[in-house]
Short mmCIF file of all heavy atoms in Angstrom, two decimals:
data_model
loop_
_atom_site.label_atom_id
_atom_site.label_comp_id
_atom_site.label_asym_id
_atom_site.label_seq_id
_atom_site.Cartn_x
_atom_site.Cartn_y
_atom_site.Cartn_z
N MET A 1 116.02 212.53 -188.16
CA MET A 1 115.76 213.76 -187.46
C MET A 1 116.22 214.97 -188.25
O MET A 1 115.72 216.03 -188.03
CB MET A 1 116.50 213.76 -186.13
CG MET A 1 116.05 212.69 -185.21
SD MET A 1 115.35 213.51 -183.80
CE MET A 1 114.71 212.14 -182.96
N GLY A 2 117.05 214.83 -189.08
CA GLY A 2 117.59 215.97 -189.77
C GLY A 2 116.95 216.19 -191.12
O GLY A 2 117.65 216.28 -192.11
N GLY A 3 115.62 216.25 -191.19
CA GLY A 3 114.95 216.47 -192.46
C GLY A 3 114.24 217.81 -192.48
O GLY A 3 114.42 218.66 -191.62
N ASN A 4 113.42 217.97 -193.48
CA ASN A 4 112.63 219.19 -193.60
C ASN A 4 111.40 219.05 -192.70
O ASN A 4 110.49 218.29 -192.98
CB ASN A 4 112.23 219.40 -195.06
CG ASN A 4 111.59 220.76 -195.28
OD1 ASN A 4 111.42 221.52 -194.34
ND2 ASN A 4 111.26 221.04 -196.53
N GLU A 5 111.30 219.80 -191.62
CA GLU A 5 110.22 219.69 -190.64
C GLU A 5 109.10 220.68 -190.91
O GLU A 5 108.23 220.88 -190.07
CB GLU A 5 110.78 219.93 -189.23
CG GLU A 5 111.86 218.96 -188.82
CD GLU A 5 111.32 217.54 -188.66
OE1 GLU A 5 110.12 217.38 -188.33
OE2 GLU A 5 112.09 216.60 -188.89
N SER A 6 109.06 221.33 -192.03
CA SER A 6 108.04 222.34 -192.32
C SER A 6 106.84 221.76 -193.07
O SER A 6 106.18 222.46 -193.80
CB SER A 6 108.66 223.48 -193.12
OG SER A 6 109.07 223.00 -194.38
N VAL A 7 106.55 220.47 -192.89
CA VAL A 7 105.43 219.83 -193.55
C VAL A 7 104.17 220.10 -192.72
O VAL A 7 104.12 219.79 -191.53
CB VAL A 7 105.66 218.31 -193.69
CG1 VAL A 7 104.44 217.65 -194.31
CG2 VAL A 7 106.90 218.05 -194.50
N GLU A 8 103.16 220.67 -193.34
CA GLU A 8 101.91 221.02 -192.64
C GLU A 8 100.91 219.89 -192.84
O GLU A 8 100.66 219.45 -193.97
CB GLU A 8 101.36 222.33 -193.21
CG GLU A 8 100.18 222.84 -192.44
CD GLU A 8 99.71 224.19 -192.99
OE1 GLU A 8 100.54 224.94 -193.51
OE2 GLU A 8 98.50 224.44 -192.91
N VAL A 9 100.32 219.42 -191.75
CA VAL A 9 99.34 218.34 -191.80
C VAL A 9 98.00 218.92 -191.36
O VAL A 9 97.89 219.50 -190.28
CB VAL A 9 99.74 217.17 -190.88
CG1 VAL A 9 98.66 216.09 -190.90
CG2 VAL A 9 101.08 216.62 -191.29
N THR A 10 96.99 218.78 -192.21
CA THR A 10 95.65 219.26 -191.89
C THR A 10 94.65 218.14 -192.05
O THR A 10 94.96 217.08 -192.61
CB THR A 10 95.25 220.43 -192.81
OG1 THR A 10 95.23 219.96 -194.15
CG2 THR A 10 96.20 221.61 -192.68
N ALA A 11 93.45 218.37 -191.58
CA ALA A 11 92.39 217.36 -191.70
C ALA A 11 91.91 217.24 -193.13
O ALA A 11 91.47 216.17 -193.56
CB ALA A 11 91.23 217.72 -190.78
N GLY A 12 91.97 218.30 -193.87
CA GLY A 12 91.60 218.25 -195.27
C GLY A 12 90.10 218.18 -195.49
O GLY A 12 89.29 218.44 -194.61
N ILE A 13 89.74 217.80 -196.68
CA ILE A 13 88.33 217.77 -197.07
C ILE A 13 87.57 216.67 -196.33
O ILE A 13 86.40 216.84 -196.00
CB ILE A 13 88.19 217.63 -198.61
CG1 ILE A 13 86.73 217.80 -199.06
CG2 ILE A 13 88.71 216.29 -199.06
CD1 ILE A 13 86.22 219.19 -198.94
N TRP A 14 88.23 215.54 -196.06
CA TRP A 14 87.55 214.44 -195.36
C TRP A 14 87.22 214.81 -193.92
O TRP A 14 86.13 214.48 -193.42
CB TRP A 14 88.38 213.17 -195.41
CG TRP A 14 88.47 212.65 -196.81
CD1 TRP A 14 89.57 212.63 -197.61
CD2 TRP A 14 87.39 212.12 -197.59
NE1 TRP A 14 89.25 212.11 -198.84
CE2 TRP A 14 87.91 211.79 -198.86
CE3 TRP A 14 86.05 211.89 -197.35
CZ2 TRP A 14 87.13 211.25 -199.86
CZ3 TRP A 14 85.27 211.35 -198.37
CH2 TRP A 14 85.81 211.03 -199.60
N GLY A 15 88.09 215.50 -193.26
CA GLY A 15 87.80 215.97 -191.90
C GLY A 15 86.64 216.95 -191.89
O GLY A 15 85.77 216.90 -191.01
N PHE A 16 86.62 217.85 -192.87
CA PHE A 16 85.50 218.79 -192.98
C PHE A 16 84.19 218.07 -193.23
O PHE A 16 83.16 218.39 -192.62
CB PHE A 16 85.77 219.80 -194.10
CG PHE A 16 84.58 220.66 -194.41
CD1 PHE A 16 84.23 221.70 -193.56
CD2 PHE A 16 83.80 220.41 -195.53
CE1 PHE A 16 83.11 222.49 -193.83
CE2 PHE A 16 82.70 221.19 -195.81
CZ PHE A 16 82.35 222.24 -194.96
N LEU A 17 84.19 217.09 -194.14
CA LEU A 17 82.97 216.36 -194.46
C LEU A 17 82.44 215.57 -193.26
O LEU A 17 81.23 215.51 -193.02
CB LEU A 17 83.20 215.45 -195.66
CG LEU A 17 83.38 216.16 -197.00
CD1 LEU A 17 83.69 215.15 -198.10
CD2 LEU A 17 82.17 216.98 -197.35
N VAL A 18 83.34 214.95 -192.50
CA VAL A 18 82.92 214.21 -191.30
C VAL A 18 82.31 215.17 -190.29
O VAL A 18 81.24 214.90 -189.71
CB VAL A 18 84.10 213.43 -190.70
CG1 VAL A 18 83.78 212.91 -189.33
CG2 VAL A 18 84.50 212.29 -191.63
N LEU A 19 82.95 216.29 -190.04
CA LEU A 19 82.44 217.27 -189.09
C LEU A 19 81.11 217.85 -189.56
O LEU A 19 80.17 218.01 -188.77
CB LEU A 19 83.47 218.39 -188.89
CG LEU A 19 83.16 219.39 -187.79
CD1 LEU A 19 83.11 218.69 -186.44
CD2 LEU A 19 84.22 220.47 -187.77
N PHE A 20 81.00 218.14 -190.84
CA PHE A 20 79.75 218.66 -191.39
C PHE A 20 78.64 217.63 -191.27
O PHE A 20 77.50 217.97 -190.94
CB PHE A 20 79.95 219.07 -192.86
CG PHE A 20 78.74 219.71 -193.45
CD1 PHE A 20 78.41 221.02 -193.16
CD2 PHE A 20 77.93 219.00 -194.34
CE1 PHE A 20 77.29 221.61 -193.71
CE2 PHE A 20 76.81 219.59 -194.90
CZ PHE A 20 76.49 220.90 -194.59
N GLY A 21 78.95 216.36 -191.52
CA GLY A 21 77.95 215.29 -191.38
C GLY A 21 77.47 215.15 -189.95
O GLY A 21 76.27 214.96 -189.70
N LEU A 22 78.38 215.23 -188.99
CA LEU A 22 77.98 215.17 -187.58
C LEU A 22 77.11 216.35 -187.20
O LEU A 22 76.11 216.20 -186.47
CB LEU A 22 79.22 215.11 -186.69
CG LEU A 22 79.97 213.79 -186.66
CD1 LEU A 22 81.27 213.93 -185.89
CD2 LEU A 22 79.10 212.72 -186.03
N ALA A 23 77.46 217.54 -187.66
CA ALA A 23 76.66 218.73 -187.37
C ALA A 23 75.27 218.60 -187.98
O ALA A 23 74.26 218.95 -187.35
CB ALA A 23 77.36 219.98 -187.87
N LEU A 24 75.19 218.09 -189.19
CA LEU A 24 73.90 217.91 -189.85
C LEU A 24 73.05 216.87 -189.12
O LEU A 24 71.84 217.07 -188.92
CB LEU A 24 74.13 217.49 -191.30
CG LEU A 24 72.94 217.57 -192.25
CD1 LEU A 24 72.44 219.00 -192.37
CD2 LEU A 24 73.33 217.03 -193.62
N ALA A 25 73.66 215.77 -188.68
CA ALA A 25 72.93 214.75 -187.93
C ALA A 25 72.41 215.31 -186.61
O ALA A 25 71.27 215.04 -186.21
CB ALA A 25 73.83 213.54 -187.68
N CYS A 26 73.21 216.10 -185.93
CA CYS A 26 72.77 216.74 -184.68
C CYS A 26 71.62 217.69 -184.92
O CYS A 26 70.68 217.76 -184.13
CB CYS A 26 73.93 217.46 -184.00
SG CYS A 26 75.12 216.36 -183.24
N TRP A 27 71.68 218.44 -186.02
CA TRP A 27 70.61 219.38 -186.32
C TRP A 27 69.29 218.64 -186.52
O TRP A 27 68.26 219.05 -185.98
CB TRP A 27 70.96 220.18 -187.58
CG TRP A 27 69.93 221.22 -187.91
CD1 TRP A 27 69.72 222.41 -187.29
CD2 TRP A 27 68.96 221.13 -188.95
NE1 TRP A 27 68.69 223.06 -187.89
CE2 TRP A 27 68.20 222.31 -188.92
CE3 TRP A 27 68.68 220.17 -189.91
CZ2 TRP A 27 67.17 222.54 -189.81
CZ3 TRP A 27 67.66 220.42 -190.80
CH2 TRP A 27 66.91 221.60 -190.74
N PHE A 28 69.30 217.52 -187.28
CA PHE A 28 68.09 216.74 -187.47
C PHE A 28 67.61 216.12 -186.16
O PHE A 28 66.41 216.07 -185.89
CB PHE A 28 68.30 215.64 -188.52
CG PHE A 28 68.20 216.13 -189.93
CD1 PHE A 28 69.31 216.08 -190.77
CD2 PHE A 28 67.03 216.64 -190.43
CE1 PHE A 28 69.24 216.54 -192.07
CE2 PHE A 28 66.93 217.10 -191.74
CZ PHE A 28 68.05 217.05 -192.56
N LEU A 29 68.52 215.67 -185.33
CA LEU A 29 68.16 215.08 -184.05
C LEU A 29 67.49 216.11 -183.14
O LEU A 29 66.46 215.84 -182.53
CB LEU A 29 69.41 214.49 -183.37
CG LEU A 29 69.19 213.85 -182.02
CD1 LEU A 29 68.37 212.58 -182.17
CD2 LEU A 29 70.52 213.55 -181.37
N PHE A 30 68.06 217.29 -183.05
CA PHE A 30 67.49 218.34 -182.20
C PHE A 30 66.15 218.81 -182.73
O PHE A 30 65.23 219.10 -181.96
CB PHE A 30 68.45 219.53 -182.08
CG PHE A 30 69.73 219.20 -181.37
CD1 PHE A 30 70.89 219.87 -181.67
CD2 PHE A 30 69.79 218.22 -180.39
CE1 PHE A 30 72.08 219.58 -181.02
CE2 PHE A 30 70.96 217.91 -179.75
CZ PHE A 30 72.11 218.60 -180.05
N ARG A 31 66.03 218.88 -184.04
CA ARG A 31 64.75 219.28 -184.64
C ARG A 31 63.66 218.26 -184.32
O ARG A 31 62.54 218.62 -183.96
CB ARG A 31 64.95 219.42 -186.14
CG ARG A 31 63.76 219.93 -186.86
CD ARG A 31 64.10 220.18 -188.31
NE ARG A 31 62.87 220.13 -189.08
CZ ARG A 31 62.81 219.93 -190.36
NH1 ARG A 31 63.91 219.77 -191.05
NH2 ARG A 31 61.66 219.89 -190.98
N SER A 32 63.99 216.99 -184.43
CA SER A 32 63.03 215.93 -184.12
C SER A 32 62.66 215.96 -182.63
O SER A 32 61.49 215.81 -182.27
CB SER A 32 63.62 214.58 -184.49
OG SER A 32 62.78 213.54 -184.06
N MET A 33 63.66 216.14 -181.78
CA MET A 33 63.40 216.19 -180.34
C MET A 33 62.49 217.37 -180.00
O MET A 33 61.56 217.24 -179.19
CB MET A 33 64.72 216.31 -179.58
CG MET A 33 64.55 216.35 -178.07
SD MET A 33 66.11 216.54 -177.20
CE MET A 33 66.61 218.17 -177.73
N ASN A 34 62.72 218.51 -180.61
CA ASN A 34 61.90 219.69 -180.36
C ASN A 34 60.46 219.44 -180.79
O ASN A 34 59.51 219.82 -180.09
CB ASN A 34 62.49 220.88 -181.11
CG ASN A 34 61.91 222.19 -180.65
OD1 ASN A 34 61.29 222.28 -179.61
ND2 ASN A 34 62.14 223.21 -181.44
N THR A 35 60.26 218.78 -181.92
CA THR A 35 58.92 218.45 -182.39
C THR A 35 58.21 217.53 -181.41
O THR A 35 57.04 217.75 -181.07
CB THR A 35 58.98 217.78 -183.77
OG1 THR A 35 59.67 218.65 -184.67
CG2 THR A 35 57.61 217.47 -184.31
N HIS A 36 58.91 216.51 -180.92
CA HIS A 36 58.29 215.58 -179.97
C HIS A 36 57.97 216.26 -178.65
O HIS A 36 56.93 215.99 -178.05
CB HIS A 36 59.21 214.38 -179.75
CG HIS A 36 59.24 213.43 -180.90
ND1 HIS A 36 58.14 212.75 -181.33
CD2 HIS A 36 60.24 213.06 -181.72
CE1 HIS A 36 58.46 211.99 -182.36
NE2 HIS A 36 59.74 212.17 -182.62
N LEU A 37 58.82 217.14 -178.17
CA LEU A 37 58.56 217.84 -176.92
C LEU A 37 57.36 218.79 -177.06
O LEU A 37 56.56 218.90 -176.14
CB LEU A 37 59.80 218.61 -176.46
CG LEU A 37 60.94 217.75 -175.93
CD1 LEU A 37 62.15 218.62 -175.62
CD2 LEU A 37 60.51 216.99 -174.70
N ARG A 38 57.25 219.46 -178.19
CA ARG A 38 56.09 220.32 -178.40
C ARG A 38 54.81 219.51 -178.46
O ARG A 38 53.77 219.92 -177.94
CB ARG A 38 56.24 221.11 -179.69
CG ARG A 38 57.20 222.24 -179.58
CD ARG A 38 57.24 223.04 -180.84
NE ARG A 38 58.25 224.08 -180.73
CZ ARG A 38 58.55 224.92 -181.69
NH1 ARG A 38 57.93 224.84 -182.84
NH2 ARG A 38 59.48 225.83 -181.52
N LYS A 39 54.85 218.34 -179.08
CA LYS A 39 53.68 217.48 -179.16
C LYS A 39 53.27 216.99 -177.77
O LYS A 39 52.09 216.95 -177.45
CB LYS A 39 53.97 216.29 -180.08
CG LYS A 39 52.75 215.53 -180.52
CD LYS A 39 53.09 214.35 -181.40
CE LYS A 39 53.85 214.78 -182.63
NZ LYS A 39 54.14 213.66 -183.54
N MET A 40 54.25 216.64 -176.94
CA MET A 40 53.95 216.20 -175.57
C MET A 40 53.32 217.33 -174.77
O MET A 40 52.36 217.13 -174.04
CB MET A 40 55.22 215.74 -174.86
CG MET A 40 55.58 214.32 -175.14
SD MET A 40 57.01 213.70 -174.24
CE MET A 40 57.20 214.75 -172.87
N THR A 41 53.85 218.55 -174.89
CA THR A 41 53.31 219.69 -174.16
C THR A 41 51.89 219.97 -174.60
O THR A 41 51.02 220.26 -173.77
CB THR A 41 54.20 220.93 -174.40
OG1 THR A 41 55.53 220.61 -174.02
CG2 THR A 41 53.71 222.11 -173.60
N PHE A 42 51.62 219.87 -175.90
CA PHE A 42 50.28 220.12 -176.42
C PHE A 42 49.29 219.09 -175.88
O PHE A 42 48.20 219.45 -175.46
CB PHE A 42 50.31 220.11 -177.94
CG PHE A 42 48.98 220.41 -178.57
CD1 PHE A 42 48.45 221.68 -178.51
CD2 PHE A 42 48.26 219.42 -179.21
CE1 PHE A 42 47.22 221.97 -179.07
CE2 PHE A 42 47.04 219.69 -179.78
CZ PHE A 42 46.51 220.97 -179.72
N THR A 43 49.65 217.81 -175.87
CA THR A 43 48.74 216.78 -175.39
C THR A 43 48.54 216.89 -173.88
O THR A 43 47.45 216.63 -173.38
CB THR A 43 49.23 215.37 -175.74
OG1 THR A 43 50.56 215.20 -175.27
CG2 THR A 43 49.21 215.14 -177.24
N GLU A 44 49.57 217.31 -173.13
CA GLU A 44 49.40 217.51 -171.69
C GLU A 44 48.43 218.65 -171.42
O GLU A 44 47.61 218.57 -170.52
CB GLU A 44 50.75 217.80 -171.03
CG GLU A 44 51.62 216.60 -170.87
CD GLU A 44 52.96 216.93 -170.24
OE1 GLU A 44 53.19 218.11 -169.90
OE2 GLU A 44 53.78 216.02 -170.11
N ARG A 45 48.51 219.72 -172.21
CA ARG A 45 47.57 220.83 -172.04
C ARG A 45 46.15 220.38 -172.34
O ARG A 45 45.22 220.75 -171.61
CB ARG A 45 47.94 221.98 -172.98
CG ARG A 45 48.87 222.95 -172.37
CD ARG A 45 48.95 224.21 -173.21
NE ARG A 45 50.34 224.64 -173.20
CZ ARG A 45 51.03 225.04 -174.22
NH1 ARG A 45 50.46 225.11 -175.39
NH2 ARG A 45 52.28 225.39 -174.12
N GLU A 46 45.97 219.60 -173.40
CA GLU A 46 44.64 219.11 -173.72
C GLU A 46 44.09 218.22 -172.61
O GLU A 46 42.92 218.31 -172.26
CB GLU A 46 44.67 218.32 -175.03
CG GLU A 46 44.71 219.17 -176.26
CD GLU A 46 44.65 218.33 -177.52
OE1 GLU A 46 44.92 217.11 -177.45
OE2 GLU A 46 44.32 218.90 -178.57
N GLN A 47 44.93 217.37 -172.04
CA GLN A 47 44.49 216.50 -170.97
C GLN A 47 44.13 217.28 -169.72
O GLN A 47 43.15 216.99 -169.05
CB GLN A 47 45.57 215.47 -170.65
CG GLN A 47 45.73 214.43 -171.72
CD GLN A 47 46.90 213.49 -171.44
OE1 GLN A 47 47.66 213.70 -170.52
NE2 GLN A 47 47.03 212.46 -172.26
N SER A 48 44.92 218.31 -169.39
CA SER A 48 44.62 219.08 -168.19
C SER A 48 43.35 219.90 -168.38
O SER A 48 42.55 220.05 -167.45
CB SER A 48 45.79 219.99 -167.81
OG SER A 48 45.99 220.97 -168.80
N VAL A 49 43.10 220.43 -169.58
CA VAL A 49 41.87 221.17 -169.86
C VAL A 49 40.69 220.20 -169.80
O VAL A 49 39.64 220.53 -169.22
CB VAL A 49 41.95 221.88 -171.23
CG1 VAL A 49 40.59 222.38 -171.67
CG2 VAL A 49 42.94 223.02 -171.17
N GLY A 50 40.84 219.02 -170.35
CA GLY A 50 39.77 218.02 -170.30
C GLY A 50 39.47 217.59 -168.88
O GLY A 50 38.31 217.39 -168.50
N ALA A 51 40.49 217.46 -168.05
CA ALA A 51 40.28 217.07 -166.65
C ALA A 51 39.57 218.18 -165.89
O ALA A 51 38.69 217.92 -165.07
CB ALA A 51 41.62 216.75 -165.99
N ARG A 52 39.94 219.43 -166.16
CA ARG A 52 39.27 220.56 -165.49
C ARG A 52 37.81 220.64 -165.90
O ARG A 52 36.94 220.92 -165.09
CB ARG A 52 39.98 221.87 -165.80
CG ARG A 52 41.12 222.13 -164.86
CD ARG A 52 41.65 223.53 -165.05
NE ARG A 52 42.91 223.39 -165.76
CZ ARG A 52 43.34 224.15 -166.75
NH1 ARG A 52 42.62 225.15 -167.16
NH2 ARG A 52 44.48 223.93 -167.33
N GLU A 53 37.52 220.41 -167.18
CA GLU A 53 36.14 220.45 -167.65
C GLU A 53 35.33 219.31 -167.04
O GLU A 53 34.17 219.48 -166.71
CB GLU A 53 36.10 220.39 -169.17
CG GLU A 53 36.56 221.65 -169.84
CD GLU A 53 36.63 221.53 -171.35
OE1 GLU A 53 36.39 220.41 -171.87
OE2 GLU A 53 36.95 222.52 -172.00
N ALA A 54 35.95 218.14 -166.89
CA ALA A 54 35.25 217.00 -166.30
C ALA A 54 34.97 217.25 -164.82
O ALA A 54 33.92 216.87 -164.30
CB ALA A 54 36.07 215.73 -166.47
N ASP A 55 35.88 217.91 -164.13
CA ASP A 55 35.68 218.21 -162.71
C ASP A 55 34.61 219.27 -162.51
O ASP A 55 33.87 219.23 -161.52
CB ASP A 55 36.98 218.69 -162.06
CG ASP A 55 37.99 217.57 -161.91
OD1 ASP A 55 37.57 216.39 -161.98
OD2 ASP A 55 39.19 217.86 -161.72
N SER A 56 34.49 220.21 -163.42
CA SER A 56 33.53 221.30 -163.25
C SER A 56 32.18 220.98 -163.87
O SER A 56 31.25 221.77 -163.76
CB SER A 56 34.09 222.59 -163.86
OG SER A 56 34.22 222.44 -165.26
N ALA A 57 32.04 219.83 -164.52
CA ALA A 57 30.77 219.47 -165.14
C ALA A 57 29.74 219.16 -164.06
O ALA A 57 30.06 218.55 -163.04
CB ALA A 57 30.96 218.25 -166.05
N PRO A 58 28.48 219.58 -164.27
CA PRO A 58 27.44 219.29 -163.28
C PRO A 58 27.15 217.80 -163.24
O PRO A 58 27.17 217.11 -164.26
CB PRO A 58 26.24 220.08 -163.77
CG PRO A 58 26.49 220.31 -165.22
CD PRO A 58 27.98 220.35 -165.39
N ARG A 59 26.86 217.31 -162.06
CA ARG A 59 26.59 215.89 -161.90
C ARG A 59 25.11 215.62 -162.18
O ARG A 59 24.25 216.43 -161.89
CB ARG A 59 26.94 215.43 -160.49
CG ARG A 59 28.42 215.56 -160.21
CD ARG A 59 28.72 215.09 -158.80
NE ARG A 59 30.13 215.32 -158.52
CZ ARG A 59 31.04 214.37 -158.45
NH1 ARG A 59 30.70 213.13 -158.66
NH2 ARG A 59 32.27 214.65 -158.17
N GLY A 60 24.84 214.44 -162.70
CA GLY A 60 23.47 214.06 -163.02
C GLY A 60 22.72 213.59 -161.77
O GLY A 60 23.28 213.39 -160.69
N ASP A 61 21.40 213.40 -161.88
CA ASP A 61 20.58 212.96 -160.75
C ASP A 61 20.81 211.51 -160.41
O ASP A 61 20.47 211.06 -159.31
CB ASP A 61 19.10 213.19 -161.06
CG ASP A 61 18.76 214.67 -161.10
OD1 ASP A 61 19.46 215.46 -160.44
OD2 ASP A 61 17.80 215.00 -161.80
N ASP A 62 21.38 210.74 -161.32
CA ASP A 62 21.61 209.32 -161.06
C ASP A 62 22.86 209.08 -160.24
O ASP A 62 23.15 207.96 -159.86
CB ASP A 62 21.67 208.54 -162.37
CG ASP A 62 22.78 209.06 -163.28
OD1 ASP A 62 23.26 210.18 -163.05
OD2 ASP A 62 23.17 208.32 -164.21
N ASP A 63 23.58 210.13 -159.89
CA ASP A 63 24.80 210.02 -159.08
C ASP A 63 24.40 210.02 -157.59
O ASP A 63 23.87 211.01 -157.10
CB ASP A 63 25.73 211.19 -159.40
CG ASP A 63 27.08 211.06 -158.72
OD1 ASP A 63 27.39 209.97 -158.21
OD2 ASP A 63 27.82 212.07 -158.70
N PRO A 64 24.64 208.94 -156.86
CA PRO A 64 24.22 208.89 -155.45
C PRO A 64 24.96 209.91 -154.58
O PRO A 64 24.39 210.45 -153.65
CB PRO A 64 24.51 207.47 -155.01
CG PRO A 64 25.45 206.92 -156.02
CD PRO A 64 25.26 207.70 -157.28
N ILE A 65 26.19 210.20 -154.88
CA ILE A 65 26.92 211.17 -154.08
C ILE A 65 26.40 212.56 -154.36
O ILE A 65 26.21 213.37 -153.46
CB ILE A 65 28.43 211.07 -154.36
CG1 ILE A 65 28.93 209.69 -153.95
CG2 ILE A 65 29.20 212.16 -153.63
CD1 ILE A 65 30.38 209.42 -154.32
N GLY A 66 26.13 212.86 -155.61
CA GLY A 66 25.62 214.18 -155.98
C GLY A 66 24.23 214.41 -155.42
O GLY A 66 23.89 215.51 -155.00
N SER A 67 23.38 213.39 -155.42
CA SER A 67 22.01 213.57 -154.91
C SER A 67 21.99 213.64 -153.39
O SER A 67 21.10 214.22 -152.81
CB SER A 67 21.13 212.43 -155.40
OG SER A 67 21.64 211.19 -154.92
N ALA A 68 22.96 213.07 -152.70
CA ALA A 68 23.00 213.11 -151.25
C ALA A 68 23.42 214.50 -150.76
O ALA A 68 23.15 214.85 -149.63
CB ALA A 68 23.98 212.06 -150.72
N GLN A 69 24.06 215.27 -151.60
CA GLN A 69 24.52 216.60 -151.17
C GLN A 69 23.41 217.64 -151.29
O GLN A 69 23.57 218.73 -150.81
CB GLN A 69 25.73 217.03 -152.01
CG GLN A 69 26.94 216.17 -151.76
CD GLN A 69 28.08 216.57 -152.68
OE1 GLN A 69 27.92 217.36 -153.58
NE2 GLN A 69 29.24 215.98 -152.45
N HIS A 70 22.25 217.33 -151.86
CA HIS A 70 21.18 218.34 -152.05
C HIS A 70 20.53 218.64 -150.77
O HIS A 70 20.07 218.22 -149.91
CB HIS A 70 20.17 217.86 -153.10
CG HIS A 70 20.76 217.89 -154.49
ND1 HIS A 70 20.46 218.87 -155.38
CD2 HIS A 70 21.63 217.09 -155.12
CE1 HIS A 70 21.09 218.65 -156.50
NE2 HIS A 70 21.82 217.56 -156.36
#
């Protein structure tokens, strides 16, 4: 107990490298997630536009429901 207690302990270069590696891995993960979410939103928009166009398309004469409404 009676020694020199002014010894400073820090994480050093290895602590910095580990923290930097984790931050870099998170950055790549978030970037990938953002890309996938944008791709999903784009395909959902295409599907909803395609569904609206299919609903508004005129029906042919061979459709029994469409011909019964005339």
Side-chain angles (χ1 to χ4, degrees):
M1 297 243 173
N4 188 359
E5 301 293 331
S6 65
V7 177
E8 187 177 330
V9 178
T10 62
I13 188 71
W14 293 110
F16 171 76
L17 290 176
V18 168
L19 188 62
F20 184 76
L22 286 172
L24 194 62
C26 286
W27 183 75
F28 280 116
L29 180 68
F30 294 151
R31 185 174 156 200
S32 174
M33 181 182 65
N34 194 15
T35 303
H36 286 298
L37 288 175
R38 284 184 184 178
K39 195 181 301 183
M40 276 184 21
T41 304
F42 182 71
T43 54
E44 284 178 2
R45 269 193 219 135
E46 282 184 342
Q47 289 175 353
S48 65
V49 167
R52 274 190 255 139
E53 288 175 356
D55 289 342
S56 65
R59 296 180 184 253
D61 291 334
D62 59 342
D63 186 13
I65 298 173
S67 60
Q69 294 176 352
H70 289 258

